[in-house]
Amino acid sequence: MTPEVVSENEKPESAEPESIEEVTVEEKTEIEAEPEAEHQEIETVEENYSNLSLKETLDEMESIVNKDDAHSFSKKFNALRDHANHKVADEVEDKKHEFLEQGNAEEHFEFHHPQASKLSALVNIFREKQDKFHKSQEADHQKNLDERLGIIERLKNLYTNSEPGVNLFKSIREIKEAWGNAGQVTKSEFKNLNNNYFHHLKMFNEMLDLNKEFLHQEFAHNLEKRQHIISRAKELLDEKVVQKALNELQYLHKLWKEEAEPVAEEFREKTWEEFKEVSNKIHERKSELIAVIESEQLENLEKKTKIIEELKTLAKPESINHTYWQQAIKRVEDLRTEFLKLGPVPKKVSNQNWTDFKVVLREFNTGKNDFYKNLKGSQIHNLEAKQGLIKTAQDNMNSEDWDIVVPLFKKLQEDWKTIGHVPRSQANKVWDDFRDACNTFFKNYREKNNATGDNWKENYKSKKALLEDLKALTDEEGSVEKIETIKNAWNAIGKVPKDKLSINTEFNKTLREKLKLNKINEFDLKEENLSESQLTDKARKIKNQVADLESEIVQLENNLSFFGTATRDNPLLKDTYEKLDSKKEQLESLKLSLHNIIAGE
């Protein structure tokens, strides 16, 4: 049965009916006659990542991986991945160069970059997301294909099986809207699917006996769209950001191709030529963009060249000492960071510029390494001197010829202080050996003298008197000095009877109370007359307290890191910063005390 065409008076849904896109044979030919090149994508300038550090590159990759639409950033991710691989390879090559310069064989070189695992993990996660997206996309494409086939079937039924009284304008409007809203299908399906849709649309138009009024409405609607697109393109001529103008022009070309065709024949060529002319003018502005980029690259080249020249000066100093190299190392690191933050340079000199930078860094590192190799030689000499003192101490530690050996050990201790640093790997061992020999001798010396000369009961009386003096102290001015005097006198007194040993515990308890009252740390007292075992015990206690303080400082700093604006101006963090400063000050004081004990000062 022939479908009924509803007249204008029978369309209450809209005052102006939506047009039906009629594609006749002549129109189709005209549309296809427009050169395909005119609709090609607008070129964009690739983003450059050469100024990113390895950490910044990995952070960018991690940011993309964490996006829900990570697949949309595939090109950017791949560029970042290549840049990261390049960075890792360069750093491994630098490590290898340093390894070989130290005289090692190449086949013994082994180095696993600390960031290589993270890079590999990010690439694997991104690949898994890509696979998941493609599988999801395949399912969506199949769903969209079924939906579009259903729409075509509805269109076919509209002109073959429509019942009398069907509002064809409303029906075709709904079908076209459904077609426009339907999702994408695979490229292999789209062409046949699209041709099939327009074939049945053409059959529908023919069924309407080429309703001229309706067709004119469609042409007028599309012409209005074209004029709006042209108007927006002209506005882009004044857009200051050239890249933004190019990107939007690409979108306007897509809109033109998909939504602004067809129009009446007398407007087709005219509107297209006008749009093409504006597009060409916008394209011509690419030269402005290129000129700006070239200017920036030349400026970057000048800055990078100056950095290289300064590095060359640092690599060949006139005077060489430890202080110079420490300052130079810091300056080189600053220059290296500045160099890597600068943007790209002209492509024709990019490789040479990067090579010059790496070469001068290697020259600097070679000079620095040579200096510290020679410094290591002097440390070996110091090690041999200290080992000689250890040998003398060990040979005489069991001697009881006090008149000769006591002055000898004092001289050995004085000589030890005058000898400079030894290799770090040997520092603890030689000190332990020397200290053990000295402790053995002085222990024997005290035991022999205590057995013959100490009056333990008199010692107890002396300590009892000192304890009473300590208990009587308050926090008045001069109390700290009195505490030090009492403590040093206590240290000088020998042993007490075994049944009176509790006096030592009582003294230590009272000492802690008086120190707390006078707000002074036990380790800040200036003590004298300590035996070797007492010094060792004090050093052990200080080391334990240093470890505790370092742990507390790390915890406080971690707590501060959770605040986005963890500055001293933040009133909420004032107490935390004051506590942190106090802990650090106490830590430095303990470290100084420990150093003095170890150095024998």
Side-chain angles (χ1 to χ4, degrees):
M1 185 171 292
T2 304
E4 178 180 351
V5 178
V6 181
S7 67
E8 288 291 322
N9 296 328
E10 297 174 327
K11 296 180 286 182
E13 291 82 357
S14 174
E16 184 176 334
E18 199 169 7
S19 58
I20 303 174
E21 184 175 82
E22 179 186 37
V23 184
T24 64
V25 175
E26 291 78 14
E27 287 176 77
K28 190 68 175 176
T29 304
E30 185 66 27
I31 291 172
E32 293 178 347
E34 291 182 353
E36 183 65 21
E38 301 297 342
H39 296 294
Q40 66 185 349
E41 292 187 353
I42 308 302
E43 294 180 10
T44 58
V45 178
E46 280 191 8
E47 189 173 357
N48 189 288
Y49 305 105
S50 62
N51 61 331
L52 294 182
S53 67
L54 178 57
K55 181 181 183 303
E56 291 170 340
T57 305
L58 293 176
D59 288 345
E60 282 287 320
M61 293 172 69
E62 186 173 1
S63 175
I64 292 174
V65 166
N66 289 330
K67 293 180 184 292
D68 292 335
D69 58 339
H71 59 273
S72 302
F73 299 83
S74 177
K75 185 175 181 180
K76 180 177 180 179
F77 185 90
N78 290 336
L80 289 167
R81 177 200 63 199
D82 293 342
H83 180 61
N85 282 327
H86 178 70
K87 284 281 187 184
V88 170
D90 279 348
E91 292 182 21
V92 170
E93 182 62 26
D94 288 343
K95 290 289 185 182
K96 183 176 180 180
H97 180 83
E98 293 179 8
F99 182 80
L100 297 178
E101 279 208 342
Q102 293 174 0
N104 300 304
E106 183 174 358
E107 59 268 20
H108 295 155
F109 175 74
E110 289 184 4
F111 175 72
H112 179 72
H113 197 284
Q115 297 292 352
S117 298
K118 181 175 181 180
L119 173 59
S120 178
L122 289 173
V123 171
N124 289 335
I125 294 172
F126 184 80
R127 186 180 296 120
E128 290 173 3
K129 281 202 168 188
Q130 285 285 79
D131 293 342
K132 183 177 180 180
F133 167 74
H134 287 311
K135 289 179 181 178
S136 173
Q137 192 178 50
E138 288 175 5
D140 288 341
H141 285 168
Q142 183 59 47
K143 177 183 175 183
N144 296 336
L145 176 62
D146 295 338
E147 182 181 354
R148 287 185 180 271
L149 289 173
I151 294 171
I152 292 174
E153 193 63 24
R154 285 171 57 194
L155 176 58
K156 181 179 178 182
N157 290 333
L158 191 61
Y159 68 86
T160 57
N161 298 318
S162 293
E163 296 294 331
V166 172
N167 188 330
L168 295 178
F169 288 103
K170 178 180 178 181
S171 298
I172 194 64
R173 189 163 59 242
E174 291 174 348
I175 288 174
K176 291 181 71 177
E177 183 178 353
W179 183 264
N181 292 334
Q184 294 181 346
V185 298
T186 59
K187 290 183 179 180
S188 60
E189 297 282 358
F190 180 77
K191 184 175 181 180
N192 290 335
L193 197 67
N194 206 47
N195 288 341
N196 196 11
Y197 171 78
F198 279 104
H199 165 73
H200 289 294
L201 190 60
K202 178 180 177 183
M203 297 298 293
F204 174 79
N205 287 332
E206 289 178 358
M207 183 272 291
L208 291 178
D209 196 19
L210 299 177
N211 188 319
K212 297 299 180 184
E213 180 182 355
F214 183 84
L215 190 60
H216 288 326
Q217 291 176 356
E218 178 78 353
F219 284 170
H221 178 69
N222 290 343
L223 179 60
E224 185 179 350
K225 283 187 177 180
R226 286 195 174 196
Q227 289 170 341
H228 178 74
I229 291 172
I230 292 171
S231 176
R232 177 55 187 155
K234 289 179 179 178
E235 292 176 4
L236 294 178
L237 290 172
D238 298 324
E239 171 60 52
K240 294 182 179 180
V241 183
V242 179
Q243 187 63 63
K244 182 179 179 181
L246 290 170
N247 291 341
E248 187 165 348
L249 180 62
Q250 179 175 325
Y251 170 74
L252 292 179
H253 271 266
K254 182 176 183 291
L255 204 62
W256 182 284
K257 190 173 184 180
E258 295 179 355
E259 298 185 15
E261 294 179 349
V263 296
E265 185 174 355
E266 63 266 28
F267 295 112
R268 291 176 189 170
E269 191 66 26
K270 177 183 177 182
T271 54
W272 171 249
E273 289 298 327
E274 185 177 3
F275 182 46
K276 185 170 66 172
E277 181 181 356
V278 178
S279 297
N280 289 339
K281 289 181 180 179
I282 295 174
H283 272 293
E284 290 172 1
R285 294 191 63 198
K286 286 177 64 178
S287 60
E288 299 176 23
L289 180 62
I290 294 172
V292 170
I293 293 175
E294 289 178 348
S295 175
E296 291 176 350
Q297 290 181 346
L298 288 173
E299 185 177 347
N300 291 336
L301 176 61
E302 182 179 355
K303 291 178 180 179
K304 287 188 173 183
T305 301
K306 288 182 179 179
I307 290 174
I308 291 172
E309 291 302 317
E310 185 174 349
L311 288 172
K312 287 181 179 178
T313 302
L314 292 171
K316 298 178 180 178
E318 294 181 359
S319 60
I320 301 177
N321 54 51
H322 174 69
T323 301
Y324 168 81
W325 283 113
Q326 291 304 304
Q327 294 173 347
I329 289 169
K330 185 178 184 304
R331 179 57 181 161
V332 167
E333 184 57 33
D334 292 341
L335 291 173
R336 181 179 178 276
T337 301
E338 183 182 351
F339 186 94
L340 296 176
K341 283 185 177 179
L342 290 172
V345 300
K347 191 172 183 179
K348 62 182 179 180
V349 297
S350 177
N351 288 338
Q352 186 60 49
N353 181 255
W354 176 248
T355 299
D356 292 344
F357 175 67
K358 290 179 64 177
V359 167
V360 73
L361 278 182
R362 286 175 179 169
E363 289 177 355
F364 175 83
N365 288 329
T366 298
K368 176 197 67 178
N369 293 339
D370 288 344
F371 170 79
Y372 283 105
K373 284 178 184 176
N374 294 331
L375 185 62
K376 186 176 180 180
S378 66
Q379 291 181 345
I380 295 297
H381 176 75
N382 293 339
L383 175 63
E384 292 173 352
K386 287 192 172 184
Q387 287 174 336
L389 296 182
I390 292 170
K391 179 69 166 58
T392 302
Q394 290 174 340
D395 290 344
N396 293 276
M397 64 184 181
N398 295 316
S399 173
E400 296 183 3
D401 192 353
W402 312 125
D403 292 338
I404 296 175
V405 183
V406 170
L408 171 64
F409 269 86
K410 291 182 178 180
K411 180 65 168 59
L412 291 175
Q413 291 177 333
E414 291 173 0
D415 291 345
W416 184 275
K417 296 177 185 178
T418 63
I419 300 175
H421 294 287
V422 301
R424 183 174 297 181
S425 61
Q426 297 290 321
N428 289 336
K429 182 180 184 304
V430 294
W431 167 246
D432 289 341
D433 291 346
F434 182 68
R435 182 187 60 190
D436 289 345
C438 291
N439 286 348
T440 299
F441 170 75
F442 284 109
K443 180 181 178 182
N444 293 336
Y445 177 69
R446 282 194 300 271
E447 288 178 350
K448 295 291 184 181
N449 281 276
N450 287 341
T452 58
D454 277 353
N455 188 327
W456 289 6
K457 291 182 179 180
E458 288 299 321
N459 290 345
Y460 174 74
K461 291 179 181 180
S462 299
K463 285 192 173 184
K464 184 70 174 177
L466 289 175
L467 177 59
E468 296 303 321
D469 291 342
L470 181 63
K471 288 180 177 181
L473 290 179
T474 62
D475 59 345
E476 62 185 4
E477 185 176 355
S479 292
V480 174
E481 288 77 5
K482 292 178 181 179
I483 292 173
E484 288 179 342
T485 301
I486 292 172
K487 184 69 167 66
N488 289 329
W490 182 278
N491 293 338
I493 299 174
K495 297 180 179 180
V496 299
K498 290 185 179 180
D499 59 344
K500 302 295 184 181
L501 288 176
S502 60
I503 195 173
N504 294 326
T505 302
E506 187 177 359
F507 179 83
N508 290 331
K509 180 181 178 182
T510 305
L511 177 64
R512 286 192 293 270
E513 292 173 354
K514 298 303 178 181
L515 291 173
K516 184 176 181 181
L517 179 64
N518 286 273
K519 298 179 182 179
I520 182 173
N521 192 297
E522 178 183 358
F523 302 120
D524 291 333
L525 286 178
K526 298 177 181 177
E527 293 191 73
E528 299 174 356
N529 304 319
L530 288 174
S531 66
E532 290 298 319
S533 60
Q534 288 174 320
L535 283 172
T536 301
D537 186 60
K538 184 175 181 179
R540 177 183 58 79
K541 290 179 180 179
I542 293 178
K543 286 180 181 180
N544 291 338
Q545 192 162 349
V546 165
D548 292 340
L549 278 173
E550 289 176 339
S551 178
E552 292 175 19
I553 289 171
V554 170
Q555 183 62 50
L556 288 172
E557 290 177 339
N558 286 341
N559 293 343
L560 288 173
S561 68
F562 287 108
F563 291 85
T565 55
T567 64
R568 293 181 178 270
D569 298 332
N570 190 331
L572 296 176
L573 303 178
K574 182 180 178 182
D575 291 342
T576 303
Y577 272 110
E578 289 178 354
K579 187 175 181 181
L580 182 61
D581 292 340
S582 175
K583 296 287 184 184
K584 288 183 176 180
E585 183 178 349
Q586 187 178 356
L587 178 62
E588 291 304 315
S589 176
L590 287 174
K591 285 184 176 180
L592 179 60
S593 298
L594 182 61
H595 171 77
N596 291 338
I597 292 175
I598 294 175
E601 296 178 0

